[in-house]
Amino acid sequence: MQNLVKGAADKAVGLALTNMEQVESEVQDCADDLHDVNDTLEQGVAELARMEAALAASQQALAESAAALLVAQDAEQQAKREAMHDAATGLPNREHFNLRLVHAIAQAQRHGLTLAVMFFDLDKFKAINDGHGHAAGDSVLQQVADRLVAHCRAEDTVCRNGGDEFLYLLIHPQGRENIERIAQAVRSAIGKPIEVDGQQLAIHTSIGISVFPDDGALPEELVHHADMAMYVAKKGQSGVAFFADTPESQPTA
């Protein structure tokens, strides 16, 4: 009987040991699996961190590229503006004026409108530069430009032709009388005293006028004929002359 009990006890102990070993094996397997999971998780976290860093770097590079593009576009626009404007007065330059005149002629031809080109020359401007210095001369040019702009309609264009010369394009001025009225009004505005270094300088201008289509159909013709009329204006008392009234405009026999 004792042998049977002892045998049963040994068998139970052996079974318990076997079960323990199996449990320990399973626990070890679980521990190994957990270790693998932790390793995989750490690798995933590290990979995620690398991806986030790469994304942040890409976003930074994109932002820098966008900023650089804006700077380049601004620089391009500024360069274009400077290429089409006079540095001293800020007015459109002759190239800009020519483009506007070409467009205006095309529109006038299409719709049967008239145009007028007024050529301004400041009388005795050289005496201002010689007597008061180039800084005073530049100030006079700037103030003349401001007065021209103040009398310029939105559809019209004024430009500095160079030196002491300015051009004024009138869109559909509606008749010679209106053109002359505008010319005299601008001439009167320019003629008001200009203060330079505490001195009041009197500025006078001569204006030659050509009219499209009677005085030319091309931009260079209209400007040239207005220029010729300006020299006639310098000799007259009104200071304004139309190309149509000059000897050069009369047909030869």
Side-chain angles (χ1 to χ4, degrees), residues 24-224:
E24 288 178 357
S25 177
E26 291 177 356
V27 170
Q28 184 61 48
D29 290 342
C30 289
D32 292 341
D33 291 343
L34 182 59
H35 179 73
D36 292 341
V37 169
N38 287 336
D39 286 345
T40 302
L41 183 59
E42 289 178 359
Q43 292 174 4
V45 171
E47 183 63 25
L48 180 60
R50 285 193 294 270
M51 292 177 62
E52 290 178 343
L55 179 60
S58 297
Q59 290 175 335
Q60 178 66 24
L62 183 61
E64 291 175 354
S65 297
L69 179 60
L70 288 176
V71 170
Q73 290 175 337
D74 289 344
E76 181 181 6
Q77 291 298 323
Q78 181 65 19
K80 287 181 179 179
R81 188 186 185 286
E82 290 176 355
M84 300 294 282
H85 287 76
D86 174 59
T89 63
L91 290 178
N93 59 18
R94 177 62 184 274
E95 181 181 0
H96 193 170
F97 184 86
N98 286 345
L99 292 175
R100 291 285 186 88
L101 184 53
V102 167
H103 178 73
I105 289 174
Q107 292 294 313
Q109 289 173 331
R110 183 176 297 114
H111 300 291
L113 305 178
T114 59
L115 305 171
V117 173
M118 300 193 294
F119 196 114
F120 289 73
D121 180 82
L122 303 185
D123 299 333
K124 300 178 181 179
F125 180 73
K126 186 175 183 298
I128 295 175
N129 274 333
D130 292 344
H132 301 275
H134 288 284
D138 289 344
S139 178
V140 168
L141 291 174
Q142 181 62 66
Q143 293 187 60
V144 167
D146 292 342
R147 293 178 183 185
L148 283 171
V149 170
H151 283 77
C152 181
R153 300 176 303 174
E155 63 268 30
D156 298 335
T157 301
V158 294
C159 90
R160 184 185 179 196
N161 189 48
D164 60 348
E165 298 174 347
F166 297 85
L167 290 168
Y168 193 129
L169 171 62
L170 280 170
I171 303 296
H172 192 37
Q174 300 179 352
R176 174 169 171 150
E177 290 185 0
N178 194 47
I179 296 172
E180 185 167 7
R181 179 188 63 78
I182 293 172
Q184 291 290 5
V186 177
R187 186 170 183 267
S188 176
I190 293 175
K192 294 179 181 178
I194 292 177
E195 183 174 336
V196 176
D197 295 334
Q199 300 183 56
Q200 299 290 320
L201 303 182
I203 306 299
H204 302 287
T205 184
S206 298
I207 306 174
I209 303 169
S210 63
V211 179
F212 171 87
D214 297 339
D215 299 333
L218 299 175
E220 56 269 25
E221 286 182 314
L222 292 170
V223 173
H224 177 60

